[in-house]
Amino acid sequence: MTQTSLDFTSGILLAAGLSTRMGAPKQLLPFGESTIVETVVDNMLGAKFDEVIVVVGHRAEAIQKQLGTRPIKTVFNPDYRDGMLTSAQTGIRTLETSDAFALMLVDQPFITSALIDRVVDAYQRTENGIALPSYNYKRGHPVIFDQKYASDILALTPESDGVRTLFKKYGDDIHYVTVDTDAVLRDIDYREDYERALKEK
């Protein structure tokens, strides 16, 4: 049985990191007419998510101030220094009525609302419990999970391979959405990534 269009889908943005490779909080770096975190949040708000949850940690107050009065839910991850998995788990713990949830990364501002919707629509149509975009046979974001996988992610330990563990364990339950852009793969880790992204903006 496929999902229904009435499924409540939450978008969870992992925005708590230290940006150690960048040398500055990349969430707050200028991008277009705003900042990287604002660009990603606005893309999420423009997509078919029923709610947007932003997990903050490093520079939490500054990020929340930057996001202003946008209709989002923010949650603080006290363990943000321990890595991205802790942020995913923090976001998942806040879910209340969700039938499904999507995980997105704050350093991927090229993932548009339309790209997000392609994955959401595909998830709604498939019988599989996981949907994600694929470009040149490489997995990208956002990754949408049926709520049944929340407990699996919450049970992961820091020693695990993070959420990727589920891709190996439940490979038969993944629906791949083939896209024709590397935007679903591209992130901004280093200064040169950022400078290249600015030129393309």
Side-chain angles (χ1 to χ4, degrees):
M1 193 173 97
T2 57
Q3 344 286 345
T4 74
S5 59
L6 298 177
D7 276 358
F8 190 99
T9 305
S10 302
I12 301 174
L13 179 63
L14 311 184
L18 291 161
S19 308
T20 49
R21 289 175 288 189
M22 179 65 68
K26 55 188 170 185
Q27 302 96 317
L28 298 169
L29 290 174
F31 192 78
E33 297 179 0
S34 57
T35 60
I36 290 178
V37 68
E38 288 174 274
T39 300
V40 178
V41 167
D42 288 342
N43 287 340
M44 293 176 72
L45 288 171
K48 296 178 181 178
F49 289 138
D50 294 290
E51 68 174 350
V52 173
I53 298 167
V54 181
V55 182
V56 295
H58 184 56
R59 298 294 303 276
E61 288 185 13
I63 291 170
Q64 288 178 271
K65 183 178 179 182
Q66 200 69 41
L67 292 173
T69 58
R70 287 173 173 83
I72 59 175
K73 181 191 298 183
T74 56
V75 56
F76 181 75
N77 172 19
D79 302 314
Y80 68 89
R81 293 180 182 277
D82 295 331
M84 197 182 301
L85 173 60
T86 64
S87 289
Q89 292 170 330
T90 297
I92 289 168
R93 286 191 193 99
T94 70
L95 299 176
E96 297 174 2
T97 58
S98 300
D99 300 298
F101 57 92
L103 295 179
M104 293 192 62
L105 310 180
V106 76
D107 62 355
Q108 295 190 311
F110 289 108
I111 298 178
T112 62
S113 302
L115 272 174
I116 296 170
D117 284 348
R118 280 197 62 183
V119 184
V120 173
D121 289 341
Y123 174 78
Q124 298 283 5
R125 291 192 303 265
T126 184
E127 296 180 1
N128 295 23
I130 302 172
L132 55 85
S134 171
Y135 177 75
N136 279 357
Y137 303 101
K138 294 180 180 177
R139 290 189 298 262
H141 284 85
V143 183
I144 302 181
F145 294 94
D146 184 283
Q147 181 66 26
K148 67 184 180 182
Y149 287 119
S151 57
D152 285 83
I153 297 175
L154 291 175
L156 293 173
T157 64
E159 296 75 37
S160 71
D161 195 24
V163 175
R164 285 188 295 271
T165 304
L166 274 69
F167 301 153
K168 299 170 185 173
K169 187 174 181 180
Y170 301 109
D172 291 342
D173 201 26
I174 299 175
H175 176 71
Y176 290 96
V177 185
T178 303
V179 298
D180 57 3
T181 172
D182 68 349
V184 298
L185 307 177
R186 292 181 56 192
D187 53 17
I188 298 175
D189 283 331
Y190 298 96
R191 180 64 59 172
E192 50 266 35
D193 298 332
Y194 175 55
E195 291 171 355
R196 193 180 311 118
L198 287 179
K199 290 176 184 174
E200 298 176 25
K201 176 60 181 165

